[in-house]
Each structure stands twice: as structure tokens, then as C-alpha cells.
Amino acid sequence: MKTAIILGRGIEGCGVTRYALEEQKWYHNNGIQCDIYAGSDKKWGRKDAQENNIIEFGNDEIKSLAKKLDKEYDIVYYQSLPAKKGHSEEYQNLFYDYLVCDVQRPIKLSHQNDHKAQSLSRNSKIWETMAQMDASFTHSLTSPFAQKMKEFNPKVPLIKMGLGFDFNSLRNYWKPAQTQKKRISYFGRFAGFKDPQRIIDMHEHLYAADIIGEMRGIERSIGSLDLFYSDLSDRVNSYRNNIYEVKKDEQVIQDSSRVWIYGPYQRLEGIEELSTSMFGADFYNLEAHAYGDNMEFAMCEIIGSGSIPVFDSHWAQNCKHNGVNFSEIKDFAVYSDRNDLKDTVNQMEELANDHHKRNARRERCFEIAKLHCDNEIVYSKMHNDALKVKKRNPKTHSISLF
């Protein structure tokens, strides 16, 4: 058996790339060939942030790749699609006409990673592409994507997808609890649904508890300006006085007087630094119907590297492990209510002052997370689900636009 994963948006270097690599790892560990192909029409700044063996293809290689996929592979996963903006019109058309429509023999399955309707709308020919699939994996069967599929492509089966992670691969990064820094690290790119702003909002409480706050992976962008300015209409006079932007290769001695903001990092270098922190933060929060009981990769990396996770309480109240809300599992993460950040820091301070208790808690976090979403559990189920998919009738190119 041979499987292929297609990154239509290219090597973004973030969660979608990580998903493809984690899924590929499962296939390789189980003796099944799995190749990842990514379009090179757009170059991404984080392309090399994660070690990978992804095969890039140019526009002039699309027709030959389509023939290869059709002839040699049994399952083709469409992990991401080209974007309407940022990719050339030529690439968008070639991708759909050849890599989607002309690949007929394999089972074709999409992996839909977008959580919001606005994000869905950025994908080129998304509903036409979904009409060409034999089935589609989605994080939640009640998400905006699932609702749109019922409207536009009701005959295409939807399958609940998980998010699997190789926790054991990071175990060697663990540091003795007593040597970890009294610090909370936000770990990941800027995204509103991850709420990095919360680290700045809780700074007064962190300072009172002498806990260092930092953010790693933050790039200046229109969306991230609130992190740097308290009033976007008056940037000259509103630069925050409790942050410090660390320049590339600059060496600083951190203290709790401010929040330290670092730019993009190489993944494994970032995990090494994260592992030296007592706490790791990812305030991932969505509409309740969108979670699908899944974590995201940054959450998994915090646990995998041996830091105590600090997660959003809304996520914990709306995601279950073995039928029990995470919020009811008291020996898992520190749960943060954005309306009571003092309580978040109080929970952290209690663990920071007791190395034995904190070590026991992170061991328990590791155990629960593996049971919930270890890559062997998640991808073996998804592979079996893929094998059950029935090939639909051959499609044509004459598909109405939605």
C-alpha cells in the first residue's frame, strides 16, 4: 500500500505541516509508504522551521505528479488547499484540474483543518474540491465546515478526525523539576484563537508571584499589534512598558518585570527552551461545537516537553477524555479563566513552590495526553476509517460553483 499527503498551500511550517509529518510518521512506523508533496507556488517564512522530507513541486510538475498519484498510490489525503490570495491563478487552476479532478483511481480524502467560516472562504475552489472527494475528515461533525458540506455536498461522507502526536519523541527533553525556571512560556505563532495577549494581561499577577512571562514565535503583523500597543490609533505614545522585544541572537537576562517576546524559532530549538520552563501556555479557544475533543499540536508539545500545561478553561469545559470533561480532571492542566487571571497565577504559584507535586502532575499530564491522542491511537483509527471508504462514481469537471 502507498499513501500520499498533499499540501496544496505549501510548507507553511505550522500546525498543518506538523499534522502531515505526524501522520506520515505513523505510516512509516507501521511499514506503509507515505509521501508528502507540497506546492512551491508560494514561499513561506517558516518553511524550514520543522525538519521534514517533504517533496516540493512546481507548477510545471503538476501534470506529471497527477499521473504519478493516479497510477502509484492507493490513498491520497488532501491536507490543505491553495489560497485564493497568495497563490497564482495558474497554480489554483492546475491544482484543481489535475491534482484533484484527474486523480481518479485512489481513495481521495480531504483533511479539513479550518475551524471558522471565514477561514474556509480563503480556500480556492473548496466546495468544488470537496465534491471530488470520496470522504472528508473534519475535527467536528457540527463545525461550520460540516454544516456547509450538508448544504453543498451532502453525498460526501464526513468522518471525525483526531489529532495524533508522538509524545515519546519529546521525552528526552524533560528537565528535572527542581531545575526548571519559574516561568510561563507561550509557545507558537500569533493567532487570535490561541490568545497570547493573555500572558500580557496576567503580567501584574505574574510579577507579584515572581513568575517570568514570555512568548516565543511571535511575528509583528497587523493581527499581533495589540501585543505591542495599548492604543492602535496612537502607536507613538502607547507602546506597552511591560514588554520587551528580544532581537534575533540578543542575549538577555529575564526577570518578572516584563513579558519577553521572541520571534520565530526552529521547532526543536524552541522545544528545548520550552522544556526549561515550569509552565507552557496555549489558550486555544473556539466555539464549543468546533473542538471535536481535540487538542492542538502546541498543546501536545508543551506536555511532551515536560512543562505543566496552562490551557483555556472553555476548552476544558467543552472537550472530553473518555466521556469526562477535561475540566473535571483535576490532575491535568492548569485551567485559565480569562476573567480570573489571578486564580490562574495562584494555581501556578502553588505548583511552582512544590517540585515534587509539580513533577507528579506533569507525569500525570503526559499519561492522560498519551491515552487521549497518542499518534498510534489516532492515526491507526483514521487509517482504518479510510480503508472503509467506498469509492464514489468517477467525477467530471463540470461542477457548479457555490
Side-chain angles (χ1 to χ4, degrees):
M1 169 169 282
K2 291 179 65 175
T3 61
I5 299 173
I6 310 299
L7 297 175
R9 199 158 291 192
I11 307 175
E12 298 171 273
C14 299
V16 173
T17 304
R18 187 79 243 145
Y19 198 110
L21 293 169
E22 291 287 338
E23 190 167 31
Q24 181 190 53
K25 182 187 293 188
W26 180 85
Y27 274 109
H28 287 177
N29 288 345
N30 286 274
I32 301 172
Q33 181 174 339
C34 180
D35 301 313
I36 305 175
Y37 295 95
S40 62
D41 185 69
K42 177 179 179 177
K43 300 297 184 183
W44 294 86
R46 297 175 186 255
K47 172 187 170 185
D48 298 319
Q50 305 182 48
E51 294 181 359
N52 68 78
N53 58 355
I54 298 172
I55 304 164
E56 288 191 282
F57 59 86
N59 291 4
D60 59 344
E61 300 173 288
I62 287 178
K63 293 180 182 180
S64 61
L65 176 57
K67 291 179 181 179
K68 181 181 179 71
L69 293 171
D70 198 58
K71 181 180 179 181
E72 298 181 13
Y73 290 87
D74 302 291
I75 299 174
V76 177
Y77 294 111
Y78 294 81
Q79 185 73 45
S80 66
L81 302 179
K84 293 176 181 178
K85 293 182 179 180
H87 289 98
S88 68
E89 185 176 350
E90 176 193 28
Y91 173 65
Q92 294 179 51
N93 290 332
L94 286 169
F95 186 92
Y96 176 71
D97 289 340
Y98 293 96
L99 290 180
V100 175
C101 293
D102 273 8
V103 176
Q104 290 286 331
R105 192 187 62 83
I107 295 292
K108 297 193 296 187
L109 302 162
S110 75
H111 281 37
Q112 180 46 243
N113 293 288
D114 290 318
H115 302 293
K116 298 182 178 180
Q118 184 179 15
S119 299
L120 291 171
S121 67
R122 298 183 182 126
N123 291 287
S124 174
K125 301 180 187 294
I126 180 172
W127 306 118
E128 298 94 323
T129 298
M130 293 305 110
Q132 297 285 322
M133 297 294 109
D134 296 305
S136 180
F137 283 103
T138 179
H139 287 285
S140 170
L141 298 178
T142 57
S143 66
F145 172 76
Q147 297 303 317
K148 289 288 187 182
M149 284 293 284
K150 291 176 183 178
E151 178 183 355
F152 292 151
N153 295 307
K155 294 183 179 180
V156 178
L158 296 179
I159 307 171
K160 170 82 170 60
M161 70 189 281
L163 186 147
F165 187 76
D166 182 5
F167 289 93
N168 288 339
S169 68
L170 299 186
R171 185 70 198 218
N172 62 313
Y173 285 91
W174 280 44
K175 305 298 184 293
Q178 65 271 20
T179 69
Q180 288 181 303
K181 298 175 184 178
K182 194 176 181 182
R183 182 174 71 185
I184 180 170
S185 300
Y186 172 88
F187 182 66
R189 65 184 175 91
F190 175 84
F193 64 85
K194 296 169 179 275
D195 196 14
Q197 177 76 39
R198 198 175 305 189
I199 297 291
I200 295 173
D201 292 343
M202 69 170 64
H203 176 253
E204 64 175 300
H205 306 299
L206 293 173
Y207 180 67
D210 197 26
I211 297 174
I212 297 168
E214 70 168 8
M215 291 184 275
R216 292 183 179 267
I218 301 298
E219 294 173 302
R220 278 212 175 209
S221 63
I222 293 176
S224 69
L225 290 179
D226 280 324
L227 299 179
F228 305 97
Y229 303 98
S230 59
D231 182 359
L232 294 185
S233 66
D234 184 15
R235 295 187 205 173
V236 173
N237 299 306
S238 67
Y239 187 83
R240 297 184 185 277
N241 59 13
N242 64 340
I243 65 170
Y244 185 90
E245 294 181 74
V246 182
K247 299 179 180 64
K248 185 177 181 181
D249 299 325
E250 180 182 4
Q251 300 298 314
V252 297
I253 299 176
Q254 295 179 327
D255 60 35
S256 61
S257 67
R258 63 196 70 197
V259 174
W260 306 83
I261 302 178
Y262 296 79
Y265 51 82
Q266 295 295 313
R267 176 175 178 264
L268 294 182
E269 292 176 3
I271 286 173
E272 169 62 31
E273 192 61 40
L274 172 66
S275 71
T276 67
S277 296
M278 290 184 180
F279 305 96
D282 184 347
F283 305 114
Y284 173 62
N285 63 93
L286 303 170
E287 295 293 328
H289 58 68
Y291 292 118
D293 294 331
N294 288 333
M295 296 185 191
E296 67 160 6
F297 285 118
M299 300 166 78
C300 297
E301 288 169 333
I302 289 166
I303 295 169
S305 64
S307 295
I308 296 293
V310 183
F311 295 158
D312 187 85
S313 59
H314 184 267
W315 171 85
Q317 293 158 4
N318 291 282
C319 288
K320 298 180 184 295
H321 171 65
N322 290 340
V324 179
N325 286 339
F326 274 97
S327 58
E328 298 177 30
I329 304 175
K330 302 306 180 186
D331 52 353
F332 193 58
V334 168
Y335 300 127
S336 174
D337 181 342
R338 70 177 67 187
N339 297 313
D340 190 357
L341 297 180
K342 189 176 190 305
D343 175 69
T344 301
V345 176
N346 286 344
Q347 293 180 66
M348 293 164 54
E349 189 172 21
E350 179 182 347
L351 289 168
N353 293 331
D354 189 334
H355 298 316
H356 177 76
K357 184 175 182 178
R358 197 174 73 257
N359 189 63
R361 175 75 77 90
R362 65 178 182 164
E363 288 283 3
R364 183 62 176 146
C365 287
F366 193 83
E367 177 186 350
I368 292 171
K370 282 195 66 176
L371 290 172
H372 186 73
C373 59
D374 187 75
N375 63 353
E376 180 60 35
I377 294 172
V378 170
Y379 298 121
S380 60
K381 181 182 184 304
M382 289 180 63
H383 177 66
N384 288 330
D385 286 340
L387 294 178
K388 296 174 185 176
V389 171
K390 297 186 182 300
K391 188 72 185 159
R392 300 173 68 223
N393 293 329
K395 316 341 182 257
T396 68
H397 290 241
S398 57
I399 298 170
S400 60
L401 297 177
F402 303 109

